[in-house]
Amino acid sequence: MAKIEKQKAIFSIGRLFRFYANRKRTLFGLAWSIVYLSVIACDASVDPRSIALIDAGGANSDGSSGMGGSGDASIAGSGGVAGSDLQVFDASPLTADAAAVAGNGGSAAVDSSLPIDAQPFDSGLNDGANGSAGTGAGGSGGSAGTSGPPPANADEVCARWNADRANRAEGTWSGNVSGCDPGDISEEGRTNALRLVNLYRWLADLPAVTTDPEFNRHAQACALIMRANNRLSHTPDQSWLCWTEEGAEGAGSCNISSGPLVQSVDGYMIDMGNPTTIGHRRWILSNMFGPTGLGATDRSSCMWTMGQRGTANKPWIAFPSPGVVPFELFGYGGWSNLDQTGWTVQSDTINLSTAQVEVTSDGAPLTVAVTQLLPNYGSRYAIRFNPQGWQAQAGKTYAVSVTGIATPIQYELQVVQCN
């Protein structure tokens, strides 16, 4: 078994070396557990109720990561869609599925599922260390937001939550489809999106990440392809309008969205429509995540998730996170909420396959339904648990106990109203 794992690691490292040594090659065969966000709306302003999340990628039978779910998501309708109009198709580990939706009288065809190949990937691979974190949110190649564990004081947590979310402007796009010019998103949009990413990581006691200028360029070229063709795919071919190798490489390495960049970050964290993976959330909270690249047009955006230089090495990560948790994080009053999509615990080292979860508040047990999540979406192991007959409330403290595993996990979270 050790020999097989060593061969997998050598294979993965070799692939990674060739990727960084020759940027001009498009390596769709490199199987990173890709997840992507599909925001199903074509209007310049997106109603959050029209957001759909679709997981792609997964695990091979040996527990390694596969490249599944690289089908197209077709988009139709001029004004977005209501939640009841939404059709979502989850991709199986080795199948390319698609999602389509019709809005305001529009129509969209659903692409058929196609088998694709999967390659092994050692999810424990780290190829370098993060750069040092700065003291403010940064943009292209800039510094990350403030790192360090969140304070136990509710006022301080709420102050950070409200400050980091005060400016969520999407920025402006300088490119155009007619000339296949990717342009760039203004620094405000990229900075605001990165700030939200690092806010969520800070709450989870994870180090801040930075953007990489080259990853930004790939993400920007990816966003142009999606915008020009009015659909989403991790594997656009040369028949797609405004196709470039750089953009195609970005599509194969990014979370992709037909929604705005800043708003999509919250969508990743709620992660509606991905009950078997919660993959978007897990990638953002991954020990390995970073650096990232962020690109956007007026209607589409891409977030590079395959930097794989993170070295947080936390034994486990929960969301909602231990400690003080803003009630607004749960998303009540929006298009979905955390109680609906599930609280999660993820780990790279603790096998959670036999996990049992108990939640109590004020000494009283609260019923939850536990679901095993597919491996290698940002973490080797993960579970979600959903409240049954109750929902999170501001002013309450919840004690979570995960047992039935080699290393039991216990933590408390205090939910506070920040607005």
Side-chain angles (χ1 to χ4, degrees):
M1 180 63 69
K3 182 177 180 181
I4 293 175
E5 291 300 314
K6 182 177 181 181
Q7 289 174 341
K8 288 181 181 178
I10 292 173
F11 176 87
S12 299
I13 293 170
R15 287 260 181 172
L16 188 64
F17 175 80
R18 290 198 300 273
F19 168 75
Y20 282 103
N22 184 0
R23 294 287 189 178
K24 294 184 178 180
R25 291 189 60 188
T26 302
L27 298 178
F28 292 118
L30 180 58
W32 307 98
S33 298
I34 295 174
V35 295
Y36 66 98
L37 169 69
S38 173
V39 183
I40 309 299
C42 294
D43 194 46
S45 60
V46 179
D47 185 338
R49 292 173 299 175
S50 68
I51 294 177
L53 304 179
I54 310 168
D55 267 331
N60 300 324
S61 58
D62 63 357
S64 60
S65 169
M67 179 73 175
S70 62
D72 301 342
S74 301
I75 307 158
S78 61
V81 294
S84 60
D85 295 327
L86 202 57
Q87 299 180 51
V88 175
F89 299 80
D90 265 334
S92 60
L94 300 180
T95 302
D97 278 352
V101 65
N104 287 355
S107 62
V110 179
D111 297 334
S112 59
S113 298
L114 300 171
I116 66 171
D117 294 329
Q119 301 291 341
F121 167 60
D122 182 359
S123 65
L125 177 66
N126 290 315
D127 65 294
N130 275 337
S132 59
T135 57
S140 176
S143 59
T146 303
S147 190
N153 183 284
D155 290 339
E156 293 181 49
V157 171
C158 285
R160 169 76 184 260
W161 174 265
N162 291 328
D164 283 5
R165 299 181 65 83
N167 182 1
R168 283 175 281 172
E170 296 288 348
T172 56
W173 177 42
S174 63
N176 63 78
V177 171
S178 60
C180 287
D181 176 12
D184 202 2
I185 192 68
S186 63
E187 196 60 32
E188 181 182 38
R190 184 171 284 126
T191 296
N192 290 344
L194 181 64
R195 185 188 301 113
L196 287 189
V197 168
N198 284 326
L199 171 62
Y200 284 115
R201 287 181 62 84
W202 176 75
L203 287 169
D205 192 17
L206 289 164
V209 298
T210 61
T211 54
D212 179 285
E214 188 163 0
F215 294 164
N216 283 340
R217 288 193 297 272
H218 281 72
Q220 192 62 41
C222 163
L224 172 65
I225 294 177
M226 307 307 151
R227 173 66 173 85
N229 293 273
N230 201 33
R231 56 180 179 153
L232 306 176
S233 175
H234 283 297
T235 56
D237 60 37
Q238 296 185 39
S239 67
W240 284 50
L241 298 175
C242 299
W243 185 95
T244 60
E245 285 191 0
E246 188 173 57
E249 189 173 301
S253 302
C254 283
N255 295 344
I256 55 178
S257 168
S258 63
L261 180 62
V262 179
Q263 182 180 330
S264 292
V265 176
D266 287 338
Y268 292 137
M269 297 307 296
I270 296 293
D271 219 353
M272 182 182 72
N274 297 291
T276 63
T277 64
I278 315 294
H280 312 99
R281 182 194 306 172
R282 287 164 61 189
W283 270 115
I284 289 178
L285 299 180
S286 173
N287 280 318
M288 301 176 291
F289 183 57
T292 187
L294 302 170
T297 68
D298 57 342
R299 298 185 187 176
S300 58
S301 59
C302 297
M303 175 189 289
W304 186 282
T305 61
M306 301 306 158
Q308 298 299 311
R309 301 181 201 169
T311 56
N313 296 321
K314 286 180 68 68
W316 54 270
I317 301 158
F319 192 82
S321 308
V324 178
V325 177
F327 177 69
E328 293 75 13
L329 173 148
F330 286 83
Y332 276 99
W335 49 280
S336 186
N337 62 70
L338 282 180
D339 289 340
Q340 292 174 336
T341 59
W343 303 18
T344 50
V345 174
Q346 64 190 72
S347 176
D348 296 319
T349 56
I350 303 173
N351 189 336
L352 299 170
S353 61
T354 57
Q356 302 172 17
V357 179
E358 294 181 357
V359 179
T360 61
S361 182
D362 297 326
L366 300 173
T367 304
V368 295
V370 181
T371 302
Q372 290 290 321
L373 299 176
L374 294 177
N376 299 321
Y377 287 78
S379 65
R380 188 178 294 275
Y381 309 105
I383 57 172
R384 68 172 168 88
F385 49 100
N386 296 69
Q388 302 293 293
W390 61 277
Q391 64 184 40
Q393 298 180 35
K396 292 286 189 178
T397 297
Y398 299 93
V400 179
S401 177
V402 184
T403 58
I405 54 179
T407 306
I409 297 169
Q410 293 183 332
Y411 61 96
E412 288 189 352
L413 56 102
Q414 176 190 358
V415 182
V416 299
Q417 190 93 37
C418 285
N419 291 330

